[in-house]
């Protein structure tokens, strides 16, 4: 079987992907109690580890060997797979439903669909399968927090808040079939592929460390999200509404908070002229 058709089948046409449905009884981690418990456990565990590292002042750094490099490589590969999967799945959904959009009252276009799901959209099918995989991958990202504490004895508030909010927002995407999530996942996984790939290369000595690269990638992602949120608002007002708008409002508030914290951090480091404590995404 040719490579491209085989890739398309396994990433967008497999029955498990096409027939996926977000369900509290069948999807792991799909309930509110699980979400609250997981985020709480993450925050508490990270704070306790941080306090232990402060108490053990004699231990400047815990040797972790190749673990950080393996984690970075794994996250880069997972991000690349999710990016490719949701890209192919979005293209397949557009191909299969374009005829229905032409008959709708609002005359939905592919670009509009990427930003604004029609009212009544349910969390099922190809796109939401990859949204679910992205949600699960957020828990693997949390490992980075503990590696950072063990290696540097630091627990930046921005990092802890950012990771917790990203789990919450990815849960809201699925729970309320929120609009805008396709572009958000595409941009986020692309960023993670670049950042974690860069971290892997630096950890094995193939590239020199440059914290400005990580900062610029995060700044680009936040800027892209801001533009997309503005687009969702316009479509919601002008095109008769977008699905999951309540969750989108909550998402917008959380993203605005992250943006303000990041701008504050970025300005402080720019004024210092050196990036001694880069954010850990």
């Amino acid at each position: 079987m040719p490579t491209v058709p085989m890739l398309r089948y396994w990433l967008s046409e497999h029955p498990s992907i096409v027939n996926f449905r977000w369900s509290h009884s069948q999807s792991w981690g799909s309930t509110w109690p699980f979400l609250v418990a997981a985020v709480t456990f993450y925050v508490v565990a990270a704070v306790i580890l941080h306090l232990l590292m402060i108490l053990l002042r004699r231990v400047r750094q815990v040797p972790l060997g190749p673990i950080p490099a393996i984690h970075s490589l794994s996250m880069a590969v997972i991000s690349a797979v999710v990016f490719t999967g949701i890209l192919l799945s979005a293209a397949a959904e557009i191909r299969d439903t374009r005829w229905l959009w032409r008959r709708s009252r609002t005359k939905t276009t592919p670009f509009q669909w990427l930003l604004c799901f029609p009212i009544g959209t349910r969390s099922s099918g190809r796109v939401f399968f990859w949204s679910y995989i992205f949600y699960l991958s957020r828990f693997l990202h949390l490992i980075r927090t503990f590696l950072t504490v063990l290696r540097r004895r630091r627990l930046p508030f921005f990092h802890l808040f950012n990771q917790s909010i990203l789990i919450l927002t990815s849960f809201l995407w699925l729970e309320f079939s929120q609009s805008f999530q396709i572009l958000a996942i595409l941009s986020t996984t692309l960023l993670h592929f670049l950042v974690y790939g860069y971290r892997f290369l630096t950890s094995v000595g193939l590239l020199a460390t440059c914290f400005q690269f990580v900062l610029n990638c995060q700044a680009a992602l936040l800027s892209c999200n801001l533009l997309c949120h503005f687009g969702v608002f316009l479509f919601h007002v002008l095109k008769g509404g977008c699905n999951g708008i309540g969750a989108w409002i909550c998402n917008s508030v959380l993203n605005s908070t992250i943006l303000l914290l990041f701008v504050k951090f970025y300005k402080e480091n720019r004024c210092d002229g050196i990036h001694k404590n880069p954010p850990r995404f």
Side-chain angles (χ1 to χ4, degrees):
M1 184 181 294
T3 303
V4 175
M6 182 173 63
L7 187 67
R8 185 179 294 112
Y9 171 78
W10 285 106
L11 295 182
S12 65
E13 302 296 344
H14 191 276
S16 298
I17 298 176
V18 176
N19 299 322
F20 171 79
R21 181 178 180 182
W22 171 258
S23 169
H24 289 176
S25 60
Q26 298 180 0
S27 304
W28 184 84
S30 61
T31 63
W32 284 98
F34 174 88
L35 176 69
V36 174
V39 173
T40 302
F41 177 80
Y42 161 68
V43 173
V44 172
V47 171
I48 291 176
L49 180 61
H50 177 59
L51 294 176
L52 288 175
M53 292 300 295
I54 293 177
L55 292 175
L56 300 175
R57 295 182 180 275
R58 294 181 180 180
V59 182
R60 297 183 61 84
Q61 179 175 313
V62 177
L64 298 175
I67 296 178
I70 294 173
H71 179 258
S72 295
L73 179 60
S74 301
M75 297 314 305
V77 172
I78 292 173
S79 298
V81 171
V82 174
F83 177 87
T84 306
I86 197 167
L87 183 65
L88 292 175
S89 295
E93 291 291 344
I94 291 173
R95 179 199 65 209
D96 293 345
T97 56
R98 189 191 296 266
W99 65 273
L100 182 61
W101 296 343
R102 291 172 179 171
R103 296 184 177 183
S104 65
R105 180 175 58 85
T106 57
K107 304 295 183 182
T108 304
T109 64
F111 177 71
Q112 179 182 342
W113 177 75
L114 289 173
L115 281 173
C116 177
F117 288 152
I119 299 294
T121 299
R122 297 180 180 238
S123 298
S124 61
R126 302 178 180 93
V127 167
F128 290 98
F129 170 85
W130 288 109
S131 181
Y132 178 57
I133 298 300
F134 177 82
Y135 166 63
L136 296 181
S137 73
R138 295 308 317 170
F139 294 98
L140 297 178
H141 282 272
L142 302 183
I143 297 175
R144 180 91 190 165
T145 302
F146 302 100
L147 297 179
T148 300
V149 174
L150 290 173
R151 295 181 67 181
R152 303 173 183 271
R153 295 199 306 172
R154 292 191 303 105
L155 184 60
F157 171 76
F158 176 82
H159 174 80
L160 199 64
F161 181 79
N162 187 49
Q163 294 288 6
S164 302
I165 292 306
L166 286 175
I167 292 179
L168 174 60
T169 54
S170 57
F171 178 88
L172 293 177
W173 291 346
L174 288 158
E175 184 69 8
F176 297 100
S177 306
Q178 184 191 312
S179 299
F180 161 65
Q181 61 181 280
I182 296 177
L183 294 180
I185 294 174
L186 284 172
S187 58
T188 303
T189 51
L190 178 60
L191 167 76
H192 288 158
F193 172 74
L194 294 175
V195 170
Y196 279 103
Y198 157 79
R199 283 174 174 161
F200 170 74
L201 294 176
T202 56
S203 62
V204 298
L206 296 179
L207 284 179
T209 302
C210 177
F211 297 138
Q212 187 67 37
F213 174 78
V214 178
L215 286 171
N216 288 340
C217 284
Q218 182 68 3
L221 175 63
L222 292 173
S223 300
C224 178
N225 284 344
L226 183 62
L227 290 175
C228 289
H229 276 290
F230 182 70
V232 173
F233 175 76
L234 287 181
F235 279 126
H236 179 71
V237 173
L238 301 177
K239 295 294 184 177
C242 299
N243 201 69
I245 199 64
W248 172 82
I249 293 174
C250 179
N251 197 343
S252 299
V253 173
L254 296 174
N255 284 338
S256 299
T257 304
I258 292 176
L259 178 61
L260 291 175
L261 289 173
F262 177 80
V263 170
K264 180 178 180 294
F265 178 91
Y266 191 82
K267 286 183 177 180
E268 289 176 354
N269 282 270
R270 292 288 291 181
C271 292
D272 291 341
I274 182 171
H275 303 284
K276 295 181 180 179
N277 299 302
R280 300 288 167 178
F281 306 120

